[in-house]
Amino acid sequence: MNPNHCLAVAVALGVWGASLAGHAQEKRFLDLVGPAAVGPVTQTAPLQVPFITWGGDMATFYANGGLTTQPNSLFHKQGLNLRLTPGDDFVQQVRDYRAGKSPFLRGTFRMIGLASEVIGSDPRTKGVVLMQMTWSAGDHLVGRSHIRTVADLKGKTVVLQQSGPHVGMLNDVLQSAKLGWDDIKIVWAKDLSASPQSPPEMFRQQPAIDACFAITPDMVGLCGGLQNSGSGAEGTVKGARVVVSTAQLSRSIADVYVCRKDFYDAQKPLVTKFVAGYLKACEELVDLKRQYETAGSPAYAKLLELTRTIYGTQTIPTLEDAHGLLADCTFVGYPGNVSFFTEKGNLHGFEAFQKSALDLATSRGYARERMGLFPSGLDYQSPMFLSYLTKTRLDRGERFRAEAVLSEIEALSTGGALDERTILAFTINFEANQEHFSAVQYGAEFQRVVETADKFGNAAIAIRGHADPTKTLADLVRAGIAKGVLKRAGTAGNYSYSLNGNLLDLAATTQITQLIEGGAFDGLPDVNPRETMQAALNLSRLRAESVRDAVVDYAKSKGLTLDKSQIQPVGVGIREPFVAKPRNLDEARQNMRVEFRIVRVAAEATKASDFDF
């Protein structure tokens, strides 16, 4: 992940944040825009189209050949005549949109949602979401050493930019942990980056702030990288680490183009050509990028130079920075748009994003009324798409290499590093000898798993079955005493034990399991704690598999999309008890549990594809 390209995003989003400086977070977006009159779109040759500083817009540059439509470019071949204009000041974008200077808005879905009341207040400017462009992968929540998972945010202080892109991301993070905005304390920063009034710098200077949102260069400056912790040297914050990143929370920030309803109705063929041309550019770019990274590509290098010229050398100092800008965004292409707008059960589709965006806009005070957007009404089965595009396969297939994911999770568990890779964890409990998990009893938990798996599209979901150690400990005592290697002293309820003359604590789970595995209590025909422990491990694995299957069946019954390869069952057995030496059935029940963990896994555990949808 290239730090300089993320600085470009900081510049882009910082302009918008600066336009809001001094306003309360609940300031209506209508008040920010002001009393701008609504006018018709009169200038169509060339037609003004905004862009922002983001890798997804490089496909627009490529399709247009530059800021103005160039001969033989993709847009030119479609008969389009466009003039691309900077749109990093989103408030000004909305003013131009209402005035008729441009029929388009360019932003993230939730940025559009914050402005939904403004653009929806006049029938002419109601928004039609034309297409989804990309998913973002360069945004991070960095916490101090005591913030290990997102659940640890409860009661803590979090700093983020006023009305910036991380408002929606924070909303997703809180929802994943079943927290609300009232469960944390918010500190609002004026700027996104490169300022004393930015979240990273406020986090660095104010120890009372527990966590901050940051783009990649600031994240690296705080903790040294996605998998690192700050040492306190070279400007890093000691103990700071990434709690969650859009590298895993990959379905949080969606980039889109929106069109005025009056223009869409009057110029649908033109709009269709614009969308088709952009999607064709995405197809060609993913191939050119692959060529560039393996053997070089003059056409791709030309685009990098064009991007550097458009954004300026201060924002994009080198061609590799331009390459990084594109590399950090994930195109969705034609399959992604069909899925986004038409696939039933798509938890990251248009309807889901619209509800989330409007909920956020009204709950945080940007809008007083819910004024929705229209989904794209384009005919994706028309020759304009199917005869023009080549990457149109809608079968997304399995996203993960199941064996690699399972192997990595097991290695992390045995190596003691699983906690460091865990983003979020929650559990369900079961009764002794329970083998089946019904949606009637666990439907709420299953829904949470499905929604979490969807939002964290690049993370694995480990379903870890745990067992109670009571029977294993009882068999250990019986076998040890019978063999004469274990001595017991004291009275019932207050026993102490010694093994071969050394004190043995039955609550020391790691030592106990190592002794059992080492054969310290083997040799008796009637009782063998090693077999008991193995049976508990096998049963915990079967329970994890049963829960996985129940979650898959639940998703299918609800018509929800779920990638089974993302969810891996693991048996833990007695190795991680909540109560190491239970004294009664209530304490034993705490150990009888199935745990869900959202885990960062290596890129090698995922399957590469051209588009993410």
Side-chain angles (χ1 to χ4, degrees):
M1 195 171 293
N2 188 295
N4 286 326
H5 102 76
C6 290
L7 182 58
V9 180
V11 173
L13 297 172
V15 174
W16 184 32
S19 69
L20 299 174
H23 293 295
Q25 178 62 20
E26 289 73 23
K27 185 78 170 180
R28 287 179 74 191
F29 205 90
L30 182 63
D31 295 332
L32 299 174
V33 173
V38 173
V41 178
T42 57
Q43 178 63 43
T44 58
L47 183 67
Q48 180 172 311
V49 178
F51 66 88
I52 65 174
T53 312
W54 177 237
D57 295 79
M58 292 172 67
T60 313
F61 303 158
Y62 178 82
N64 207 44
L67 293 181
T68 58
T69 304
Q70 298 299 304
N72 296 317
S73 66
L74 293 175
F75 283 154
H76 180 262
K77 292 176 182 178
Q78 290 286 357
L80 301 178
N81 182 7
L82 309 180
R83 181 169 62 88
L84 307 182
T85 59
D88 289 333
D89 185 340
F90 185 66
V91 172
Q92 187 59 48
Q93 252 202 78
V94 174
R95 294 188 185 114
D96 292 344
Y97 175 90
R98 283 171 55 86
K101 292 182 180 180
S102 174
F104 298 119
L105 281 178
R106 170 69 183 92
T108 70
F109 200 113
R110 288 200 180 97
M111 286 166 65
I112 306 297
L114 300 184
S116 57
E117 186 180 52
V118 179
I119 67 177
S121 60
D122 189 292
R124 294 169 290 178
T125 59
K126 282 182 177 294
V128 179
V129 181
L130 287 184
M131 62 176 163
Q132 184 190 358
M133 303 165 67
T134 64
W135 294 110
S136 174
D139 300 277
H140 320 275
L141 175 63
V142 176
R144 298 191 189 277
S145 58
H146 57 278
I147 308 293
R148 308 308 298 173
T149 72
V150 294
D152 295 331
L153 292 174
K154 186 172 183 178
K156 304 303 191 297
T157 300
V158 181
V159 59
L160 67 160
Q161 183 200 22
Q162 281 187 335
S163 306
H166 296 142
V167 175
M169 182 179 171
L170 174 58
N171 200 60
D172 286 338
V173 169
L174 292 175
Q175 288 183 350
S176 72
K178 295 299 181 185
L179 298 175
W181 287 75
D182 291 339
D183 289 318
I184 62 174
K185 180 181 177 182
I186 296 292
V187 174
W188 296 110
K190 173 186 174 184
D191 302 315
L192 183 72
S193 179
S195 161
Q197 299 182 63
S198 65
E201 194 58 31
M202 293 170 69
F203 176 81
R204 181 177 279 112
Q205 298 298 329
Q206 300 180 37
I209 293 176
D210 300 288
C212 74
F213 281 88
I215 58 174
T216 296
D218 292 321
M219 175 273 290
V220 172
L222 291 173
C223 59
L226 276 172
Q227 305 297 334
N228 300 333
S229 294
S231 64
E234 298 182 349
T236 63
V237 175
K238 188 173 180 59
R241 60 187 291 274
V242 174
V243 180
V244 63
S245 165
T246 50
Q248 289 80 41
L249 186 65
S250 58
R251 272 68 174 272
S252 180
I253 302 178
D255 283 273
V256 297
Y257 260 113
V258 168
C259 182
R260 283 175 51 139
K261 186 68 166 61
D262 58 354
F263 189 86
Y264 178 88
D265 291 339
Q267 300 284 349
K268 192 171 181 179
L270 182 154
V271 169
T272 304
K273 292 176 181 179
F274 174 68
V275 173
Y278 179 86
L279 296 180
K280 186 66 174 179
C282 294
E283 289 188 346
E284 295 188 5
L285 273 186
V286 295
D287 289 338
L288 290 173
K289 176 176 173 287
R290 189 178 298 117
Q291 293 173 20
Y292 176 82
E293 292 172 340
T294 56
S297 167
Y300 187 83
K302 182 179 178 182
L303 173 64
L304 299 183
E305 188 60 58
L306 174 63
T307 300
R308 189 165 176 255
T309 300
I310 290 174
Y311 287 138
T313 56
Q314 184 174 1
T315 301
I316 307 291
T318 70
L319 295 187
E320 281 306 300
D321 293 310
H323 174 59
L325 186 66
L326 186 68
D328 265 4
C329 76
T330 305
F331 289 111
V332 303
Y334 172 87
N337 276 274
V338 174
S339 172
F340 188 76
F341 290 111
T342 69
E343 183 182 3
K344 294 181 179 180
N346 186 351
L347 293 174
H348 56 272
F350 173 83
E351 292 298 335
F353 256 90
Q354 166 138 282
K355 182 181 184 304
S356 174
L358 296 183
D359 286 348
L360 183 61
T362 53
S363 67
R364 301 308 302 165
Y366 296 101
R368 294 177 185 172
E369 297 184 51
R370 299 176 68 88
M371 293 187 178
L373 305 164
F374 293 104
S376 171
L378 302 181
D379 181 6
Y380 294 107
Q381 302 306 310
S382 70
M384 176 59 70
F385 293 109
L386 292 184
S387 297
Y388 180 53
L389 303 175
T390 58
K391 299 177 185 292
T392 57
R393 182 180 174 183
L394 300 179
D395 179 14
R396 58 169 57 88
E398 292 187 340
R399 185 173 178 79
F400 292 82
R401 303 182 190 280
E403 291 185 0
V405 171
L406 180 59
S407 176
E408 184 170 358
I409 290 173
E410 290 178 335
L412 290 170
S413 298
T414 57
L418 187 61
D419 286 347
E420 289 298 315
R421 294 280 199 94
T422 297
I423 301 169
L424 175 68
F426 56 94
T427 64
I428 60 174
N429 290 93
F430 53 82
E431 296 298 321
N433 302 316
Q434 181 175 341
E435 296 180 4
H436 302 288
F437 298 82
S438 71
V440 174
Q441 184 176 4
Y442 296 106
E445 289 81 2
F446 292 171
Q447 181 72 24
R448 184 181 183 186
V449 174
V450 175
E451 291 178 352
T452 303
D454 182 83
K455 192 64 70 175
F456 288 86
N458 283 340
I461 311 296
I463 300 182
R464 308 175 77 236
H466 296 262
D468 177 61
T470 299
K471 188 175 188 320
T472 301
L473 293 177
D475 285 354
L476 177 152
V477 171
R478 288 176 56 201
I481 291 177
K483 286 185 65 174
V485 297
L486 188 69
K487 303 296 182 183
R488 181 168 64 188
T491 58
N494 193 35
Y495 287 129
S496 61
Y497 298 89
S498 60
L499 178 66
N500 296 324
N502 297 312
L503 183 67
L504 179 65
D505 182 2
L506 295 187
T509 301
T510 300
Q511 182 185 10
I512 292 295
T513 56
Q514 289 175 347
L515 287 169
I516 293 173
E517 289 173 336
F521 307 98
D522 288 356
L524 298 179
D526 298 329
V527 57
N528 188 330
R530 188 207 294 263
E531 293 179 358
T532 307
M533 188 170 75
Q534 183 62 47
L537 178 63
N538 295 341
L539 181 59
S540 69
R541 167 76 184 194
L542 289 174
R543 284 200 177 106
E545 291 175 346
S546 179
V547 171
R548 188 269 314 274
D549 294 342
V551 170
V552 172
D553 290 343
Y554 172 85
K556 185 181 298 183
S557 72
K558 297 295 183 180
L560 302 175
T561 302
L562 179 66
D563 183 353
K564 186 177 178 179
S565 71
Q566 185 182 10
I567 304 177
Q568 294 301 319
V570 179
V572 182
I574 70 167
R575 295 178 181 279
E576 299 175 18
F578 274 160
V579 182
K581 185 183 174 185
R583 293 168 298 180
N584 50 55
L585 183 57
D586 286 340
E587 289 188 348
R589 283 197 178 104
Q590 294 182 52
N591 296 322
M592 294 182 240
R593 70 195 193 277
V594 173
E595 173 192 20
F596 302 91
R597 287 203 186 211
I598 293 82
V599 181
R600 301 181 186 92
V601 292
E604 291 75 18
T606 62
K607 297 180 180 179
S609 60
D610 289 332
F611 303 125
D612 178 15
F613 61 101

